[in-house]
Each structure stands twice: as C-alpha cells, then as structure tokens.
Amino acid sequence: MLGLRPGRRGLRRRASYGRGARVSAQAASAGPSLTVAAVARRLGVAPATLRTWDRRYGLGPSEHMAGAHRRYSSVDVSRLMVMRRLTLEGVAPSEAARTALNATEPAQTTMPGPTTAEVLDAYSDAVPMAPDPAALVSAAAHFDNAAVRWMLARVHTRDVIAWWATLVSPALRALAERAVLERPGESAGPALESAAFAELRSRAAVARAQNPDATTSGSSAGPSGPGVTVLAASSAHDADLVVHVLATALQGSGVAARVLSTATPSSVPAAIERLAPAAFILHVGAGRDELRRAEEVVAAVATTVPELPVFVHREGAAPFETAGTATVHRVRTLTGALHEILAVVA
C-alpha cells in the first residue's frame, strides 16, 4: 500500500549521508549505550534536536534492545559531538552531518578539559555580539542551551560587569516576572543562571591563564593555596550570582578572589581566619532579613579582625547601620565596588 512505503527522498538522503560511515557491530557496541535524554544532556541540546538530526541526516541511535527504544552507542555519540561542534562553529547542518558520518575515527565521548591555549583562543576568536536580553530570554525559555551559551560567551567578553548589567541581569528579571506553565523539571530561570555560572567559570579560567601571578599574590597562604586576596560573600542563604560576577571581575583585574557559599556570623570570621584576605566584600540583597543578617556578619568581622577593610555592596538608598566605622565602606554599584577594592588591595 502506498501509505506504508518509505519515502524515497528520505531513503536517498540517508544513503547519501551514510555512505562510508558504517561501522562494525563490535565498534558500535564499545562503551555504554545511552538514551536520547542522556545524550541530549551530555551534548547540551534538546532531545527534539537529536530526533531531527536522526530524521534528516541519519545521525540516530544504532543499538537495539528488546522491548526498549533504540539507544546511542559510543560511536553514535562521537559523531553527534562532531555534528554539534561544527554547527556551533557556523558550518551548515547538512555539511556538518556529512563530515560527522564520514569521520573515520570517532571522537572521545569523555572530553578532556581545555588547555590554557584552547581557552584563550576560544575567547580571542569570539565574535562580539550586542547585548540582547529578549533574545536570551527566548533561548532560555526554549531550553536552547547552545544558543544561550553562544550569547553568554560573546557579549562583553572583556567586561564581566557590563555583561551582567546589560544582558544577564535583565534577562533573569524578565524570566522571573513571566507567568508560564512549565513541565516538571523544567525552569528557565534556574537553567539560565546555571549557564551563567558556567560562563563565569570559563571567564575565570581565562583570567587565571592571563594573570598567573594573581594566584600567588595576597597577604598569606591558606589551605586553598596562596594568594586568596579578597573574600566575597552574600547575605542570601544560597549561591548569589552577583557575588561571583564581582569575584570574576576582580580576578580579571589580576586580583585573586574566593567566594564563600554561605555567610553567617560564625562562618565568615572562620573563613577570614583561615584565608587571611586583604579585604572582604559583602553583597546585601533588598530584603529586610538580608539586611539584618548582613549587619550581624559585618559586626562579627569587625570583632574578629578590626583592621580588615570591609566593603558592603547594596543598591539603593537604604541605610546600613554599621557603615559608620572607618573600615566599613558602602558601595552602591558593582563598578564602584571593583574600583574601591582594587584601590585597597592592588
């Protein structure tokens, strides 16, 4: 019957892309087999993208298991890695698929970390993009991880504070204000925040490579290594992206920095005694509970090391009661915090 015949165009396409790309059963079964969802997480793409690549180009799973869906072999994943790398570099999907299918040696499924030269090359070759928070919101809302990382890596590559102020912060605010129905396990805001943390790690790696002396500067050597110059913390209970932005900016300026995950009147003095930083920066959120907690933290720091310079970052005009002492300085912007800290420790 006509309705049961496979499309000839699809068959020709698969035959064209798959020519010279067949592998032995032994090679295909090497390594663990993975589901569509697992491969999508590993590559940072949507499962629908993998299904499209399978349907259009023949880059699908090759292993069959009784009573289960087809699964991707290590060779399949290797080819998909080639496909993803080439498409991110701007190669047309059809040409990228042809290259991936005709690769004679599969890439490693466990990718090693980038070398220093590779990290620097990636940022020196990045084409700058104008900040477009609306486009970033759209990509995050569709869980297009590749597009999100692409934009995050190309906006203000040399100014992480401008990157935060003109792109990431507006996008996160817009996502927080949206009232949408999301599937279980899918939340665009935390997903974008996670991607932003990953981008900060990349930028911090660049800063370390460009300023190797920053890891050996500082007032003393702590258990985490010499050169912990500035200790940064937040009055929030969980990880605060703003603090990591400021720490990355400090590192980009040649000053080593560490971020304390939780700031309490007991944890901050303990961290200061352990690391002996040259300055302490505390970001304070807008809530009253955060302001109260911040005042307790600053008071504890002043008791532990009275001469330690303390910078309190809090946007707006709300007062900070402990800011009258000589060693506590209030700053209203991240740029102001960066410049004042550098004036003290650089």
Side-chain angles (χ1 to χ4, degrees):
M1 295 177 61
L2 181 61
L4 297 178
R5 293 174 59 190
R8 292 184 178 180
R9 181 178 300 177
L11 289 175
R12 285 199 301 270
R13 179 179 291 154
R14 284 176 179 261
S16 173
Y17 287 115
R19 188 177 296 116
R22 297 182 179 87
V23 296
S24 65
Q26 181 179 2
S29 61
S33 58
L34 301 174
T35 63
V36 171
V39 175
R41 287 193 299 270
R42 177 172 294 193
L43 269 67
V45 300
T49 300
L50 295 181
R51 297 187 182 98
T52 299
W53 289 352
D54 180 16
R55 184 176 65 256
R56 293 183 179 177
Y57 311 119
L59 283 168
S62 60
E63 293 193 355
H64 297 261
M65 299 182 66
H69 296 290
R70 292 189 301 164
R71 298 171 71 91
Y72 289 86
S73 69
S74 59
V75 173
D76 298 330
V77 176
S78 298
R79 288 177 178 153
L80 289 171
M81 286 181 173
V82 174
M83 175 72 175
R84 183 177 183 273
R85 175 176 57 81
L86 292 176
T87 53
L88 285 175
E89 291 175 355
V91 178
S94 58
E95 183 62 30
R98 184 177 293 108
T99 301
L101 284 166
N102 287 317
T104 56
E105 294 184 2
Q108 295 179 344
T109 56
T110 302
M111 301 182 68
T115 64
T116 298
E118 289 171 339
V119 170
L120 293 176
D121 289 344
Y123 274 79
S124 62
D125 294 340
V127 178
M129 293 176 59
D132 190 345
L136 184 59
V137 167
S138 178
H142 287 85
F143 296 94
D144 189 342
N145 297 333
V148 168
R149 290 303 306 272
W150 184 267
M151 282 184 273
L152 291 177
R154 281 159 175 76
V155 172
H156 289 299
T157 57
R158 300 181 183 278
D159 189 341
V160 69
I161 292 180
W163 169 85
W164 164 257
T166 62
L167 178 68
V168 181
S169 180
L172 287 172
R173 285 199 304 269
L175 285 172
E177 294 169 357
R178 286 161 54 103
V180 297
L181 297 175
E182 296 178 322
R183 296 183 179 89
E186 292 185 354
S187 186
L192 175 56
E193 190 172 83
S194 177
F197 271 112
E199 175 62 19
L200 288 177
R201 289 195 297 272
S202 297
R203 296 191 181 210
V206 173
R208 286 194 301 270
Q210 292 176 332
N211 301 287
D213 293 339
T215 60
T216 58
S217 65
S219 55
S220 69
S224 299
V228 181
T229 303
V230 175
L231 178 62
S234 170
S235 62
H237 285 292
D238 52 2
D240 198 323
L241 191 56
V242 178
V243 178
H244 288 264
V245 168
L246 182 56
T248 305
L250 286 166
Q251 195 147 290
S253 300
V255 175
R258 292 294 184 272
V259 178
L260 184 62
S261 60
T262 302
T264 64
S266 59
S267 65
V268 170
I272 290 174
E273 290 180 349
R274 179 183 180 188
L275 301 176
F280 174 71
I281 172 70
L282 178 67
H283 168 70
V284 186
R288 290 186 177 180
D289 289 342
E290 289 198 47
L291 179 59
R292 187 182 307 109
R293 191 180 310 115
E295 292 172 348
E296 294 173 353
V297 166
V298 172
V301 172
T303 301
T304 305
V305 187
E307 68 278 8
L308 180 67
V310 176
F311 298 88
V312 178
H313 171 250
R314 190 168 197 255
E315 298 181 358
F320 191 82
E321 294 181 3
T322 59
T325 61
T327 58
V328 179
H329 313 276
R330 185 180 176 195
V331 288
R332 289 182 171 83
T333 66
L334 290 179
T335 302
L338 176 63
H339 290 165
E340 291 200 29
I341 294 173
L342 291 178
V344 171
V345 303

